Amino acid sequence: MADQSQAVPVVPARAGIGALLRSMLRSQAAMTTATLLVLMAFFTVLFPSKFLTVFNIQNLLIDYSGIVLLGVGLTFVMTSECFDLSIGATLVLASVLGVEAMVLVGGEGWSTVLVGLAATLLTGAAVGVFNGFLVVNLRIPSIIVTLGSLNVAQGLAYVLTGGQDMHEIPNLMVDSIGLGRVLGIPAPVLVSGIAVIVGAFVLSQTRFGRHTCALGSNKEAARRAGIDVNRLSIQLYVLSGMCAGLAGFMSLARFGTTTLSGHSTDFITALLGVVLGGTSLFGGVGTVLGTAVGVFIPGVLSNGLILMSVFPYWQLVIVGLVLCAVVYADLVKRRQRDD
Amino acid sequence: MPVPLLEVTNIAKRYGHIEALRGANFTVYPGEIVALLGDNGAGKSSLIKTICGVTKPDAGEIRFNGQVVTIDSPQASRDLGIETVYQDLALAPDLDPAGNLFLGKEILYPGLLGWLGVLDKPEMRRQAEASFARLNVKLQDINAKVVNMSGGQRQGVAVARAMVWASKIILMDEPTAALGVVQTRNVSELIRQVKAAGVAVVLVSHNLPYVFEIADRIEVMRLGRRVARFVTAETTMDEVLDAMTGVTAPQEAA
Ligand SMILES: Nc1ncnc2c1ncn2[C@@H]1O[C@H](COP(=O)(O)OP(=O)(O)O)[C@@H](O)[C@H]1O
Ligand SMILES: [Mg+2]
């Protein structure tokens, strides 16, 4: 082959600004950021006094803080070439068990809130172990396993509550966390922001993240390289479940209730954010920062549609169509690559 | 002949109804280049996978330096100083060459960062560059993902990875099957370097002239068994071909 005969010995890393810019331009995350900016510019021009206001943007960030948390976990799982459809239902179940635990210990103080937090995280972890076990040990495809656990979790949430939302949440939790601010930043936004930064760092800079990419890139190669791929898969489901558990806790804090049927579209919104952000459906490539940007495309869209007084359910229609389009683009890219 | 470094005896492996290995034997002496030959389906890949811990044999014994060992995982094989260049190369296409070279053996920063599992990417890249340069593996862009590289470059990465980590044996399953003339010559060069470093090479290949050019010894498999062993300098291609196709009777019992 021609390229081989004229190859030169290893070229030192050309880690200049230029190379960085070029790779950014090529990346999906850059495309997504550009799309987001265009969308925002569009709505700013359309509604100069309503869209680009501190109040509106802040609400947008708060509204989608939960989706961002779900997206962080989902990014990890999808980078390993697995799915987790159960995150929205896990969120709901975690919030129910969180309230149950707080009712059980009673009280209105921080210790009660901490018990609630522990219960939501543990619920998420438990669903993750369940998912991971079925995927790894019984080798059921992850899309089916998590479709099953989605229904198990949502069903259990209804069973435990008799279908009635629970409101027994300490005022402290709503006031300090749901509506709270730290240095002027709304606490839900802060929590999601920290999750994004930590998640991005772990996925791109640590051994755990590297092994996650390798697992999604070539599972057999990862196994042959001595990586315990089964344990890693379970860990990834636990991570995703715990992100959903944390999102459940934050949802309780924001709304002061369990919002039993308020999260049925959370998964698809998070999924759209993840794939828009540049995480491949085929594994091996994932970016948490991309997800954090990607989630706000459906976010801005829905916000803008409401400002335009379009019936908000149109948002779902658009999300579904965009999802298909983005996945198709991913597919085309993958086919070109594999030729 | 000196004491064998690796002595595999009576390995059996079945896949459903297919008996891939039926009491296979195989020997590797320290620092030699030994070719494992046989027709398609003779069981060469199955034998290699047994030695590198990818599949567990149903029966048989593996001795390493005279000691009976159990190789029940790829890691167990690597711990013995055995590295493998798989027929499919087993690279992670979305990682760069350094990422693949250090996959499963990542270098972490010292101290707290290392405790947190933070990768020392600059150090891994530096060592990878040095290794590729030393082995004369030519890559156009060390930062490119492996998926964007040519077949020859991927081969180079896979072979270099095995060479960097192997201290005793490198197993190569058809390393030149998909390569052109130039790349095949590069791989030969790599194999000679391995030998010069005192590491033994097991080479599965269909290319007889190539084997005669490079191998010290030849072992032939047929229908899941070893049927003949040759010292390359003392045999001919016809003799080896006859053993492969079963024209000559097996030289040894199961
Ligand atoms: N994973 C497997 N499942 C079923 N049959 C297999 C498997 N691997 C190898 N075989 C069969 O075992 C026999 C030996 O195969 P193999 O070891 O690949 O031979 P070689 O590498 O010499 O061509 C063949 O008949 C092949 O079809
Ligand atoms: Mg083979």
Side-chain angles (χ1 to χ4, degrees):
Chain A
M1 269 178 268
D3 59 344
Q4 181 68 11
S5 51
Q6 58 191 226
V8 288
V10 181
V11 181
R14 279 175 298 148
I17 302 274
L20 191 71
L21 276 178
R22 265 195 305 278
S23 78
M24 273 178 60
L25 276 177
R26 259 177 292 152
S27 81
Q28 168 122 25
M31 287 274 296
T32 303
T33 310
T35 310
L36 183 63
L37 292 177
V38 168
L39 265 180
M40 290 180 72
F42 176 73
F43 288 122
T44 306
V45 171
L46 220 54
F47 306 102
S49 60
K50 285 190 197 154
F51 180 76
L52 204 62
T53 62
V54 172
F55 177 76
N56 190 45
I57 296 302
Q58 199 165 279
N59 275 353
L60 191 63
L61 288 171
I62 296 175
D63 275 347
Y64 279 78
S65 59
I67 306 281
V68 168
L69 284 177
L70 296 179
V72 171
L74 188 60
T75 302
F76 275 85
V77 172
M78 287 186 51
T79 301
S80 79
E81 211 184 353
C82 277
F83 256 104
D84 191 349
L85 301 169
S86 70
I87 46 181
T90 304
L91 184 167
V92 172
L93 180 62
S95 66
V96 167
L97 287 172
V99 179
E100 297 268 14
M102 288 191 286
V103 170
L104 200 71
V105 298
E108 287 275 320
W110 279 111
S111 59
T112 310
V113 175
L114 274 181
V115 167
L117 176 64
T120 53
L121 291 178
L122 276 177
T123 306
V127 177
V129 169
F130 178 80
N131 286 335
F133 179 82
L134 293 191
V135 170
V136 164
N137 293 67
L138 307 186
R139 301 197 192 172
I140 308 172
S142 67
I143 197 155
I144 300 299
V145 166
T146 56
L147 182 63
S149 60
L150 181 171
N151 287 284
V152 170
Q154 188 72 43
L156 277 178
Y158 282 129
V159 168
L160 287 168
T161 56
Q164 302 294 313
D165 272 314
M166 302 174 73
H167 311 281
E168 297 87 340
I169 294 153
N171 288 331
L172 176 70
M173 181 166 156
V174 177
D175 295 341
S176 316
I177 300 175
L179 306 173
R181 283 171 185 271
V182 178
L183 303 172
I185 305 168
V189 176
L190 190 68
V191 168
S192 297
I194 291 173
V196 166
I197 292 167
V198 171
F201 184 79
V202 169
L203 187 55
S204 67
Q205 303 299 326
T206 70
R207 181 163 55 188
F208 181 80
R210 174 61 61 84
H211 289 181
T212 301
C213 292
L215 175 58
S217 192
N218 184 345
K219 181 175 179 179
E220 190 54 28
R223 197 172 79 85
R224 290 177 190 174
I227 297 170
D228 188 340
V229 292
N230 290 344
R231 197 182 65 178
L232 180 59
S233 285
I234 294 176
Q235 286 170 341
L236 288 165
Y237 276 108
V238 169
L239 177 70
S240 166
M242 288 180 79
C243 284
L246 182 59
F249 177 80
M250 294 310 294
S251 167
L252 284 179
R254 277 183 59 210
F255 301 115
T257 164
T258 47
T259 56
L260 279 178
S261 40
H263 297 277
S264 55
T265 61
D266 282 10
F267 168 74
I268 188 119
T269 314
L271 175 65
L272 182 59
V274 171
V275 292
L276 275 173
T279 297
S280 172
L281 220 55
F282 305 95
V285 183
T287 148
V288 174
L289 290 177
T291 297
V293 175
V295 160
F296 284 97
I297 288 194
V300 166
L301 208 59
S302 112
N303 188 265
L305 289 178
I306 291 168
L307 290 178
M308 287 167 79
S309 318
V310 175
F311 200 46
Y313 296 130
W314 275 109
Q315 192 225 344
L316 264 188
V317 177
I318 296 174
V319 163
L321 291 176
V322 173
L323 180 67
C324 292
V326 178
V327 168
Y328 177 69
D330 187 20
L331 215 95
V332 169
K333 213 163 44 180
R334 182 62 57 139
R335 283 194 196 125
Q336 280 171 350
R337 184 192 108 160
D338 289 346
D339 282 345
Chain B
M1 279 277 176
V3 187
L5 174 61
L6 180 77
E7 178 93 87
V8 176
T9 40
N10 263 316
I11 301 288
K13 176 73 191 176
R14 39 186 328 140
Y15 295 103
H17 296 299
I18 301 168
E19 282 185 88
L21 299 173
R22 320 175 183 208
N25 296 339
F26 185 60
T27 314
V28 181
Y29 295 98
E32 70 169 353
I33 300 175
V34 54
L36 178 58
L37 300 184
D39 207 352
N40 269 336
K44 306 180 297 291
S45 292
S46 301
L47 187 68
I48 296 288
K49 284 182 185 156
T50 303
I51 302 171
C52 67
V54 167
T55 59
K56 277 173 219 169
D58 304 324
E61 188 182 79
I62 302 176
R63 279 174 182 274
F64 193 81
N65 273 331
Q67 303 281 321
V68 176
V69 291
T70 315
I71 301 180
D72 51 8
S73 70
Q75 195 54 46
S77 172
R78 296 174 105 191
D79 289 344
L80 294 172
I82 303 174
E83 289 287 329
T84 311
V85 181
Y86 294 92
Q87 201 163 357
D88 62 10
L89 302 185
L91 297 171
D94 298 295
L95 298 182
D96 62 8
N100 273 286
L101 191 70
F102 286 97
L103 188 59
K105 298 182 163 125
E106 291 82 3
I107 299 177
L108 304 179
Y109 280 109
L112 178 67
L113 287 178
W115 185 78
L116 291 170
V118 180
L119 300 168
D120 190 346
K121 290 184 186 179
E123 178 62 17
M124 286 192 275
R125 177 151 305 159
R126 202 186 57 70
Q127 290 195 19
E129 278 184 50
S131 299
F132 291 133
R134 177 167 53 84
L135 299 170
N136 210 22
V137 172
K138 296 169 174 62
L139 304 173
Q140 254 145 357
D141 181 0
I142 185 105
N143 296 309
K145 290 178 170 191
V146 163
V147 70
N148 296 324
M149 299 187 161
S150 70
Q153 292 173 336
R154 289 184 208 187
Q155 194 89 31
V157 173
V159 174
R161 173 172 66 179
M163 292 180 61
V164 166
W165 299 113
S167 56
K168 292 295 190 325
I169 302 177
I170 292 186
L171 309 171
M172 295 190 184
D173 197 347
E174 314 225 15
T176 61
L179 298 186
V181 178
V182 178
Q183 290 119 315
T184 301
R185 207 168 59 218
N186 287 348
V187 172
S188 310
E189 199 43 53
L190 286 174
I191 291 174
R192 290 209 178 86
Q193 284 190 48
V194 177
K195 181 183 154 92
V199 176
V201 179
V202 175
L203 183 68
V204 176
S205 175
H206 276 116
N207 186 339
L208 268 190
Y210 182 67
V211 164
F212 269 76
E213 184 192 311
I214 198 161
D216 301 313
R217 283 193 320 111
I218 295 170
E219 302 213 349
V220 179
M221 287 185 77
R222 211 166 78 76
L223 301 176
R225 284 198 190 93
R226 178 168 70 192
V227 291
R229 314 163 73 171
F230 303 99
V231 173
T232 315
E234 299 163 5
T235 187
T236 64
M237 285 194 210
D238 284 339
E239 220 178 345
V240 173
L241 263 175
D242 286 351
M244 285 168 66
T245 52
V247 172
T248 47
Q251 294 171 1
E252 60 179 52

